[in-house]
Amino acid sequence: MTKTMKATLVVTAVDGTVWRGEIDLRSEGAAKPVSMQAREFAAPAQSTAEPTASDLKLPARAFLSKFASKASSAGKFAFVVAQIAQGTVGKEVDTGQIQKGWNQNSGVLGGPYQTVYGTRSKEKGWVNSTKRGKWVLMDGWQKAANG
C-alpha cells in the first residue's frame, strides 16, 4: 500500500526572494540499507612554487593560470607586472599595459582590473610606483605566489 504525505517547501534566495510550494511525497516501501565506508580524503596540495625565468617564457594566460589564479589581488597584480616586464626588476611598466594585460586575462584573474590592486601589491613590497602611471618589479616579487 502506497502512503502519501504533503510537504511545504520554502526556499529563500540570497537577495531575500522567497519561493513557497507544496509537494506530494509517496512512500515506496522500505529502503534497502546502503553500506557506507568512512574514508579520509587528503586536501589537494597547493602549489607554493615560485616562478622561475623559464616560467616567464610561457604565454601570459598560462603563466597567470599557473601562479596568479590562487594568489591575492596584490599577488595577481605583481604577476601581471612580472609577466609584462619578463621578470626584470626595475623595468618600468605603464599602467595602461597592466590594465590591458589584466583585462585580457580577467577570467583567470577573477574579474576586472581595479587600481587598488597596485597599492596593495606596493604595500607588500612586490612592486613600486616610480611615478604616476608607472610600475616596477621589486626584488622578491616571486613571493607573491605564497602570500
Side-chain angles (χ1 to χ4, degrees):
M1 178 161 107
T2 304
K3 296 179 183 178
T4 61
M5 177 188 297
K6 284 209 180 271
T8 301
L9 178 67
V10 179
V11 177
T12 306
V14 175
D15 66 0
T17 305
V18 177
W19 288 279
R20 184 181 313 267
E22 286 196 7
I23 303 170
D24 288 326
L25 301 173
R26 282 180 271 124
S27 167
E28 295 185 355
K32 293 180 182 176
V34 176
S35 174
M36 300 281 292
Q37 295 178 354
R39 296 184 196 173
E40 288 189 30
F41 293 97
Q46 290 194 342
S47 174
T48 57
E50 294 178 0
T52 63
S54 63
D55 291 319
L56 288 161
K57 294 177 184 174
L58 291 169
R61 192 167 192 85
F63 175 78
L64 295 172
S65 292
K66 186 172 182 178
F67 296 102
S69 61
K70 303 277 190 241
S72 65
S73 58
K76 291 175 183 183
F77 185 90
F79 285 124
V80 171
V81 174
Q83 195 280 322
I84 294 168
Q86 288 296 291
T88 305
V89 173
K91 181 178 179 182
E92 278 192 353
V93 177
D94 187 66
T95 300
Q97 291 176 285
I98 298 167
Q99 286 177 306
K100 182 180 178 187
W102 188 292
N103 290 332
Q104 286 175 341
N105 296 287
S106 63
V108 171
L109 298 171
Y113 172 80
Q114 302 287 323
T115 56
V116 71
Y117 298 159
T119 304
R120 291 178 182 159
S121 190
K122 185 177 178 179
E123 289 169 354
K124 298 274 189 178
W126 298 326
V127 298
N128 193 19
S129 180
T130 54
K131 54 187 168 191
R132 187 174 180 91
K134 303 289 183 187
W135 294 90
V136 295
L137 276 179
M138 301 291 291
D139 283 328
W141 66 267
Q142 299 90 340
K143 292 185 180 19
N146 301 322

